[in-house]
Amino acid sequence: MITPNMHYADLKDSYLFFHIAQKTKAYLQQHPDAYLYRMGIGDVTLPLCDAVIRALHEAVDDQASRERFHGYMPECGAPDLRSVIAQHYRNRGISLSDNEVFVSSGASDELGDILDLFDRESSALVIEPAYPAYVDANVIAGRRIIHLPSGADNGFLPEPGPEAEADILYICSPNNPTGAVFTAEKLKRWVDFANEKGSVILFDAAYEAFIEDPSLPRSIFEIEGADTCAIEICSLSKTAGFTGTRMGYTVIPRALVRKGMCFNDMWVRNRTTKTNGVSYILQRGGAAVFTEEGQRQIRENISVYKENARTLTKVLDALGIWYCGGKNAPYIWMKCPDGMGSWEFFDYLLNKAQIVGTPGEGFGACGEGYLRFSTFGRRQDTIEAAQRLMKLLG
Ligand code: PLP
């Protein structure tokens, strides 16, 4: 009889969002007229910007035209799109060639697929609390996972050290769920550590567009030495509202070589084997993000989410509650008041103020005692939620 991948049996139930949905459903059944302020979701609420919509429409029309129709796209991305993304990096002083950029269907797909580049015997370091997909993708592959807890004492930005030794190092900055952002100095220590040990950093930059402090790195390739130890995975999901449209990009420097194998060459081979590229229509929409008009328009949307962050952090500041994130990140990670546990505070907020957050414990054991607020909610809901929070905890 065939043996399935038995590692699936090792996966823990992804109970977090399921459990939240169950609890909110039960609340609404008991209070059918209640309106819930959903501050937990990691999905965006604003529509795609005009420049993207126009490009998508034009691309659909191209597909209806004999002359302008496009069939299969190059597996690693349309050359002109790879070029504008590389230019986007070069504009920020990062030297990158077009063939070091790969167009993807989003960061989730890429975070899973990229593991094909590593031996099954390699180990993976996950800094916790963490985006759950890092752990699950490696459980499925049967890899040894090293969990490195972080906490308020190190601002949820742990240092490398003997307990962090692993082949694959996940670093997410700005972080989901904590909103913490690595400074250049702290990131440099991880880059040096990876180069010294021969590890590879998988740098998840899904929220780079939320960094406003110019001294904070938006790309790991701003750090000297990163081109020999890092892969950067980016997404247009939160940057440009592509959660339902799907597009991202991945940077693999040609200088990233281990045991004579060039990861960039390997990824070209992987993509040409396992995909037929991202659709022409979506790549046209994605390219519009990198135009001057697109950049201006996505900034307008991001500024609404940032306004949401200010609305919520103002209340937390006034209440004297410890939190991190919310300034250079779309997530706010707050300490639950009065020593409450994550789920206890979740229930309290739901029952007393009809606010739905995300219990920190769902992102790893060291998230216990914290709650995550997302700033991607509707503006009016965020304003009302902030007022209710103030009234409840003030
Ligand atoms: N990485 C992090 C840290 C995320 O929070 C998310 C989505 O919430 C993703 C990756 C996935 O992004 P995408 O929508 O591009 O698949």
Side-chain angles (χ1 to χ4, degrees), residues 42 105-109 111 131 134 172 176 204 206-207 234-238 243 246-247 331:
S105 299
S108 271
D109 309 47
L111 281 162
Y131 180 59
Y134 305 153
C172 177
N176 178 12
D204 186 339
Y207 299 101
C234 285
S235 165
L236 293 185
S237 283
K238 312 301 162 73
T243 51
R246 311 304 303 145
M247 217 193 91
Y331 296 111

Side-chain angles (χ1 to χ4, degrees), residues 48-65 68-71 73 77-82 84-85 103-104 236 240 242 245-247 278-291 293-294:
L48 295 169
C49 69
D50 290 347
V52 169
I53 290 294
R54 207 170 53 239
L56 289 172
H57 279 298
E58 283 168 12
V60 170
D61 287 342
D62 285 351
Q63 295 301 70
S65 148
R68 301 193 310 275
F69 170 79
H70 284 74
M73 297 298 288
D80 52 346
L81 180 54
R82 296 176 84 183
V84 292
I85 297 172
V103 176
S104 77
L236 293 185
F242 270 59
T245 306
R246 311 304 303 145
M247 217 193 91
V278 177
S279 89
Y280 166 72
I281 296 166
L282 296 188
Q283 293 199 63
R284 282 284 308 279
V289 170
F290 296 94
T291 60
E293 185 192 14

Side-chain angles (χ1 to χ4, degrees), residues 135-350:
V135 169
D136 288 354
N138 283 287
V139 168
I140 289 171
R143 282 204 180 80
R144 187 165 68 88
I145 301 170
I146 295 149
H147 302 264
L148 181 67
S150 65
D153 52 331
N154 53 27
F156 289 94
L157 299 169
E159 298 280 333
E163 67 291 349
E165 276 184 35
D167 301 307
I168 305 164
L169 312 174
Y170 284 89
I171 297 183
C172 177
S173 178
N175 190 272
N176 178 12
T178 67
V181 185
F182 276 93
T183 62
E185 295 71 35
K186 276 181 182 274
L187 205 48
K188 173 78 173 132
R189 287 201 275 279
W190 281 99
V191 165
D192 290 346
F193 179 74
N195 276 323
E196 190 190 311
K197 305 287 177 194
S199 314
V200 171
I201 295 174
L202 290 184
F203 190 73
D204 186 339
Y207 299 101
E208 58 85 21
F210 290 80
I211 293 181
E212 53 192 54
D213 180 342
S215 76
L216 293 172
R218 286 175 56 180
S219 162
I220 195 164
F221 299 115
E222 290 174 39
I223 310 298
E224 198 193 330
D227 60 337
T228 54
C229 70
I231 290 173
E232 180 158 297
I233 295 177
C234 285
S235 165
L236 293 185
S237 283
K238 312 301 162 73
T239 302
F242 270 59
T243 51
T245 306
R246 311 304 303 145
M247 217 193 91
Y249 51 96
T250 297
V251 178
I252 309 184
R254 294 209 48 83
L256 180 61
V257 176
R258 294 287 181 269
K259 298 194 174 169
M261 301 288 280
C262 169
F263 281 78
N264 184 292
D265 286 340
M266 288 162 71
W267 195 236
V268 171
R269 192 58 198 254
N270 183 291
R271 295 294 82 183
T272 51
T273 305
K274 290 199 167 182
T275 80
N276 266 325
V278 177
S279 89
Y280 166 72
I281 296 166
L282 296 188
Q283 293 199 63
R284 282 284 308 279
V289 170
F290 296 94
T291 60
E292 227 181 284
E293 185 192 14
Q295 286 290 301
R296 198 181 62 248
Q297 292 176 350
I298 64 160
R299 288 271 138 226
E300 283 165 18
N301 280 5
I302 288 172
S303 72
V304 174
Y305 300 134
K306 285 193 162 290
E307 198 56 40
N308 283 347
R310 277 190 289 276
T311 303
L312 288 166
T313 53
K314 222 193 259 174
V315 167
L316 297 179
D317 286 336
L319 291 168
I321 291 177
W322 188 96
Y323 66 90
C324 68
K327 180 143 172 63
N328 294 290
Y331 296 111
I332 299 166
W333 180 252
M334 68 172 283
K335 182 112 189 79
C336 301
D338 302 327
M340 274 192 251
S342 292
W343 283 105
E344 190 186 353
F345 186 48
F346 172 89
D347 288 335
Y348 184 70
L349 280 182
L350 175 62

